[in-house]
Amino acid sequence: QKEVEQNSGPLSVPEGAIASLNCTYSDRGSQSFFWYRQYSGKSPELIMSIYSNGDKEDGRFTAQLNKASQYVSLLIRDSQPSDSATYLCAVLTSGGSYIPTFGRGTSLIVHP
Amino acid sequence: DADVTQTPRNRITKTGKRIMLECSQTKGHDRMYWYRQDPGLGLRLIYYSFDVKDINKGEISDGYSVSRQAQAKFSLSLESAIPNQTALYFCATSVGLARQETQYFGPGTRLLVL
């Protein structure tokens, strides 16, 4: 069974700090990795995607991928209260259908 | 205008009733999906469709059926609703870009089965 694991949290950080969200996956053949943000009562929206080992930066967000360790992370610099949400990790596993497997999400709280 | 719409947004029904949740999209995507989300359990795939003539079961299809009426419309039915189908239901679409596949979600339907 192909699994995507996230710590459910909540992860609480002060405003201005770096929030670090982690995700591990079981399928070594996984190709693509995504981070979705979901505000309470709203639908998920894509904030980052990463396909190759290393870091990918977009504004205050950095996605990090380590395929050897089967680990993907999302760093949020200068965290703001508006970043408070649940962050879902999604992984496109091997098999050809290109349907993502979602983790259960990590709740992030940024307090002033 | 929203690209992916769902109706109704909220629904309360009774055990044993048949209900339909509808999804429409203006993104022109071929692929459509139905998920349910329960607290602590994340998003779970119910059914998916890669084109009008293609329907596939997801990991939790028991108790559900779907209909792909057109490229833009994908409906989810609960033939005989039961309380443990109380959840938040999302429709999603994607364009089919292989490893760059991104999903676009509708606003969700909150369903309560009494």
Side-chain angles (χ1 to χ4, degrees), chain B residues 55-82:
Chain B
I55 302 289
N56 303 280
K57 293 182 178 180
E59 62 178 305
I60 55 163
S61 59
D62 287 349
Y64 301 95
S65 63
V66 291
S67 173
R68 184 81 184 266
Q69 299 96 324
Q71 187 210 31
K73 295 184 182 296
F74 192 34
S75 300
L76 176 72
S77 293
L78 287 67
E79 298 300 327
S80 180
I82 56 176

Side-chain angles (χ1 to χ4, degrees), chain A residues 13-19 39 60-61 76-85 87 108-112:
Chain A
V13 301
E15 184 174 358
I18 296 175
Y39 291 114
R60 296 186 296 112
F61 297 97
I76 307 175
R77 291 183 301 281
D78 189 24
S79 295
Q80 301 297 309
S82 59
D83 294 325
S84 299
Y87 291 80
L108 172 66
I109 299 172
V110 181
H111 53 87

Side-chain angles (χ1 to χ4, degrees), chain A residues 19-58:
Chain A
S20 178
L21 305 164
N22 305 315
C23 174
T24 60
Y25 58 95
S26 63
D27 182 7
R28 190 168 288 278
S30 297
Q31 305 176 42
S32 307
F33 307 85
F34 306 86
W35 284 99
Y36 288 80
R37 178 177 61 200
Q38 184 177 21
Y39 291 114
S40 181
K42 302 297 185 182
S43 56
E45 58 176 343
L46 180 73
I47 54 171
M48 289 285 289
S49 58
I50 186 167
Y51 311 111
S52 303
N53 276 331
D55 295 359
K56 178 182 178 182
E57 186 173 321
D58 183 0

Side-chain angles (χ1 to χ4, degrees), chain A residues 32 34 36 38 43 51 97, chain B residues 31 37 40 48 99 101 103 106:
Chain A
S32 307
F34 306 86
Y36 288 80
Q38 184 177 21
S43 56
Y51 311 111
S97 65
Chain B
R31 298 184 168 201
Q37 188 174 42
Y48 62 100
R99 68 194 296 261
E101 192 74 333
Q103 300 219 323

Side-chain angles (χ1 to χ4, degrees), chain B residues 7-71:
Chain B
T7 55
R9 295 293 312 279
N10 295 279
R11 178 74 185 267
I12 300 174
T13 192
K14 295 182 179 180
T15 297
K17 294 293 187 181
R18 181 182 188 275
I19 66 164
M20 179 181 290
L21 309 182
E22 298 185 338
C23 177
S24 294
Q25 53 115 346
T26 58
K27 300 186 77 68
H29 292 170
D30 285 327
R31 298 184 168 201
M32 298 187 73
Y33 310 79
W34 276 104
Y35 293 91
R36 67 176 280 175
Q37 188 174 42
D38 301 272
L41 294 180
L43 284 166
R44 293 185 290 167
L45 184 63
I46 306 172
Y47 271 95
Y48 62 100
S49 169
F50 286 173
D51 64 41
V52 175
K53 296 181 180 180
D54 177 77
I55 302 289
N56 303 280
K57 293 182 178 180
E59 62 178 305
I60 55 163
S61 59
D62 287 349
Y64 301 95
S65 63
V66 291
S67 173
R68 184 81 184 266
Q69 299 96 324
Q71 187 210 31

